[in-house]
C-alpha cells in the first residue's frame, strides 16, 4: 500500500512539471557602441551585437531603446561553449536618424528561439550607444 501511495504522489509531481516553461534556445547577447555622428543622410548610430559563448542561434525580434523607438530585429548566430567570448561572431547594426536623437541606450530585447519560444530579456544595466 505504501508503494501505491508513493507512486500516486510521484505521478502528481511529474504531472505538475508540465506547467513549467523552459527557455532553452533563447540567445544571450551583449552590445557595444561602435560609432555615432553625422552621416550623408543625417545622423547614424552604429553598435555591435555579439552572442555570448554557449548562446544558440535564434532571432532578436525587437531591440528596446530608451530615448528612441523600439527597433526591428536581427538574427543571432550560434556561439559554441568552448569558444572564447571575443571569438563569438559580431553583428554590426546601423540606425539612421534625420537628426541627432540625443542619448540612446539599449535596455533589453525580445528574443525568439528556433522552436518558437519568445522571451523579453532586460539587460542588468542599459548600454549607451549614443551619449
Amino acid at each position: 500500500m505504501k508503494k501505491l501511495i508513493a507512486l500516486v504522489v510521484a505521478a502528481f509531481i511529474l504531472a505538475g512539471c508540465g506547467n513549467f516553461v523552459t527557455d532553452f534556445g533563447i540567445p544571450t547577447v551583449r552590445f557595444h557602441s561602435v560609432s555615432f555622428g553625422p552621416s550623408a543622410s543625417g545622423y547614424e548610430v552604429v553598435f555591435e551585437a555579439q552572442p555570448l559563448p554557449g548562446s544558440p542561434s535564434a532571432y532578436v525580434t525587437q531591440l528596446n531603446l530608451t530615448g528612441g523607438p523600439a527597433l526591428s530585429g536581427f538574427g543571432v548566430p550560434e556561439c559554441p561553449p568552448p569558444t572564447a567570448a571575443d571569438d563569438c561572431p559580431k553583428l554590426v547594426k546601423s540606425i539612421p536618424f534625420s537628426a541627432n536623437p540625443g542619448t540612446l541606450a539599449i535596455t533589453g530585447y525580445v528574443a525568439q528561439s528556433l522552436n518558437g519560444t519568445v522571451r523579453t530579456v532586460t539587460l542588468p544595466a542599459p548600454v549607451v550607444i549614443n551619449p
Side-chain angles (χ1 to χ4, degrees):
M1 185 66 170
K2 289 182 182 178
K3 286 185 180 181
L4 178 62
I5 292 172
L7 286 173
V8 170
V9 170
F12 280 119
I13 291 172
L14 291 175
C17 289
N19 296 326
F20 297 104
V21 177
T22 57
D23 284 342
F24 295 116
I26 298 295
T28 305
V29 183
R30 65 181 177 173
F31 301 95
H32 300 284
S33 176
V34 173
S35 66
F36 48 87
S39 69
S41 61
Y43 193 86
E44 184 177 52
V45 176
V46 180
F47 67 94
E48 200 172 71
Q50 182 180 32
L52 292 177
S55 184
S57 60
Y59 193 75
V60 171
T61 59
Q62 178 180 310
L63 193 62
N64 300 326
L65 296 172
T66 59
L71 299 172
S72 61
F74 50 88
V76 177
E78 177 182 21
C79 186
T83 307
D86 288 337
D87 293 337
C88 290
K90 297 176 182 178
L91 306 166
V92 177
K93 298 293 171 190
S94 173
I95 311 169
F97 293 95
S98 58
N100 186 343
T103 302
L104 289 177
I106 301 172
T107 58
Y109 56 95
V110 178
Q112 181 174 1
S113 68
L114 296 179
N115 68 3
T117 302
V118 176
R119 185 175 89 181
T120 300
V121 178
T122 304
L123 298 177
V127 177
V128 178
I129 58 173
N130 187 44

